Short mmCIF file of all heavy atoms in Angstrom, two decimals:
data_model
loop_
_atom_site.label_atom_id
_atom_site.label_comp_id
_atom_site.label_asym_id
_atom_site.label_seq_id
_atom_site.Cartn_x
_atom_site.Cartn_y
_atom_site.Cartn_z
N ALA A 2 -15.29 3.12 -9.99
CA ALA A 2 -13.85 3.06 -10.24
C ALA A 2 -13.36 1.60 -10.12
O ALA A 2 -13.91 0.83 -9.32
CB ALA A 2 -13.14 3.92 -9.19
N GLY A 8 0.92 -6.36 -4.41
CA GLY A 8 1.55 -6.66 -3.11
C GLY A 8 2.49 -7.85 -3.21
O GLY A 8 2.39 -8.67 -4.12
N GLU A 20 -12.54 -5.11 2.36
CA GLU A 20 -13.75 -4.99 3.18
C GLU A 20 -14.60 -3.75 2.77
O GLU A 20 -15.79 -3.76 2.92
CB GLU A 20 -13.39 -4.93 4.66
CG GLU A 20 -13.22 -6.36 5.19
CD GLU A 20 -12.52 -6.43 6.52
OE1 GLU A 20 -12.64 -5.48 7.32
OE2 GLU A 20 -11.83 -7.42 6.79
N ILE A 26 -12.34 -3.50 -6.35
CA ILE A 26 -11.10 -4.21 -6.54
C ILE A 26 -11.29 -5.37 -7.51
O ILE A 26 -12.05 -6.32 -7.26
CB ILE A 26 -10.49 -4.73 -5.21
CG1 ILE A 26 -10.20 -3.54 -4.28
CG2 ILE A 26 -9.23 -5.55 -5.45
CD1 ILE A 26 -9.73 -3.88 -2.89
N ILE A 30 -2.13 -8.20 -8.26
CA ILE A 30 -0.87 -8.64 -8.89
C ILE A 30 0.22 -8.73 -7.84
O ILE A 30 0.38 -7.86 -6.98
CB ILE A 30 -0.41 -7.63 -9.98
CG1 ILE A 30 -1.51 -7.45 -11.07
CG2 ILE A 30 0.88 -8.09 -10.62
CD1 ILE A 30 -1.19 -6.47 -12.18
N GLY A 37 0.89 -14.41 0.41
CA GLY A 37 -0.43 -14.53 1.06
C GLY A 37 -1.49 -13.65 0.38
O GLY A 37 -2.66 -14.03 0.35
N THR A 49 -6.21 -12.86 -10.17
CA THR A 49 -4.86 -12.57 -9.72
C THR A 49 -3.88 -12.77 -10.92
O THR A 49 -4.20 -13.43 -11.89
CB THR A 49 -4.38 -13.54 -8.66
OG1 THR A 49 -4.44 -14.87 -9.15
CG2 THR A 49 -5.24 -13.41 -7.40
N ALA A 50 -2.74 -12.15 -10.81
CA ALA A 50 -1.69 -12.33 -11.79
C ALA A 50 -0.36 -12.28 -11.05
O ALA A 50 -0.18 -11.61 -10.06
CB ALA A 50 -1.72 -11.20 -12.79
N GLY A 67 -5.49 -2.53 -18.25
CA GLY A 67 -6.54 -1.88 -19.11
C GLY A 67 -7.79 -1.69 -18.28
O GLY A 67 -8.26 -2.60 -17.63
N MET A 78 7.00 -4.70 -2.65
CA MET A 78 8.39 -4.45 -2.28
C MET A 78 9.31 -4.09 -3.45
O MET A 78 10.48 -4.36 -3.47
CB MET A 78 8.99 -5.67 -1.57
CG MET A 78 8.26 -6.02 -0.27
SD MET A 78 8.15 -4.64 0.89
CE MET A 78 9.83 -4.58 1.48
N SER A 87 4.27 6.68 -15.20
CA SER A 87 3.71 7.81 -15.92
C SER A 87 2.36 7.55 -16.56
O SER A 87 1.63 8.46 -16.92
CB SER A 87 4.68 8.39 -16.94
OG SER A 87 5.45 7.39 -17.49
N PRO A 98 4.81 2.19 6.75
CA PRO A 98 4.75 2.03 8.21
C PRO A 98 5.62 3.06 8.98
O PRO A 98 6.35 2.65 9.86
CB PRO A 98 5.16 0.61 8.46
CG PRO A 98 6.11 0.30 7.39
CD PRO A 98 5.66 1.11 6.16
N THR A 134 8.44 8.99 -1.20
CA THR A 134 8.61 10.45 -1.20
C THR A 134 7.36 11.18 -1.71
O THR A 134 7.33 12.43 -1.61
CB THR A 134 9.82 10.88 -2.11
OG1 THR A 134 9.68 10.20 -3.36
CG2 THR A 134 11.14 10.54 -1.47
N ILE A 138 -1.17 11.70 1.85
CA ILE A 138 -2.64 11.86 1.80
C ILE A 138 -3.24 11.76 3.24
O ILE A 138 -4.06 12.57 3.62
CB ILE A 138 -3.28 10.71 0.90
CG1 ILE A 138 -2.75 10.85 -0.49
CG2 ILE A 138 -4.80 10.79 0.93
CD1 ILE A 138 -2.93 9.61 -1.37
N ALA A 151 10.15 -5.24 17.66
CA ALA A 151 9.85 -4.98 16.29
C ALA A 151 8.47 -5.58 15.91
O ALA A 151 7.67 -4.95 15.24
CB ALA A 151 10.93 -5.56 15.36
N ALA A 161 -3.40 0.46 12.63
CA ALA A 161 -3.64 1.83 12.15
C ALA A 161 -3.68 1.86 10.61
O ALA A 161 -4.53 2.55 10.01
CB ALA A 161 -2.57 2.82 12.70
N HIS A 163 -4.68 -0.40 8.61
CA HIS A 163 -5.95 -0.93 8.15
C HIS A 163 -7.10 0.04 8.30
O HIS A 163 -8.12 -0.10 7.65
CB HIS A 163 -6.28 -2.26 8.84
CG HIS A 163 -5.19 -3.29 8.67
ND1 HIS A 163 -5.04 -4.35 9.49
CD2 HIS A 163 -4.20 -3.36 7.74
CE1 HIS A 163 -3.98 -5.08 9.11
NE2 HIS A 163 -3.48 -4.47 8.03
N ARG A 164 -6.89 1.06 9.17
CA ARG A 164 -7.89 2.12 9.30
C ARG A 164 -7.68 3.19 8.22
O ARG A 164 -8.63 3.63 7.55
CB ARG A 164 -7.76 2.80 10.67
CG ARG A 164 -8.68 2.30 11.70
CD ARG A 164 -8.71 3.27 12.88
NE ARG A 164 -7.41 3.43 13.54
CZ ARG A 164 -6.99 2.67 14.60
NH1 ARG A 164 -7.85 1.75 15.08
NH2 ARG A 164 -5.86 2.87 15.18
#
Side-chain angles (χ1 to χ4, degrees):
E20 277 165 29
I26 298 175
I30 301 178
T49 61
M78 299 306 286
S87 34
T134 48
I138 300 165
H163 302 160
R164 264 195 298 268

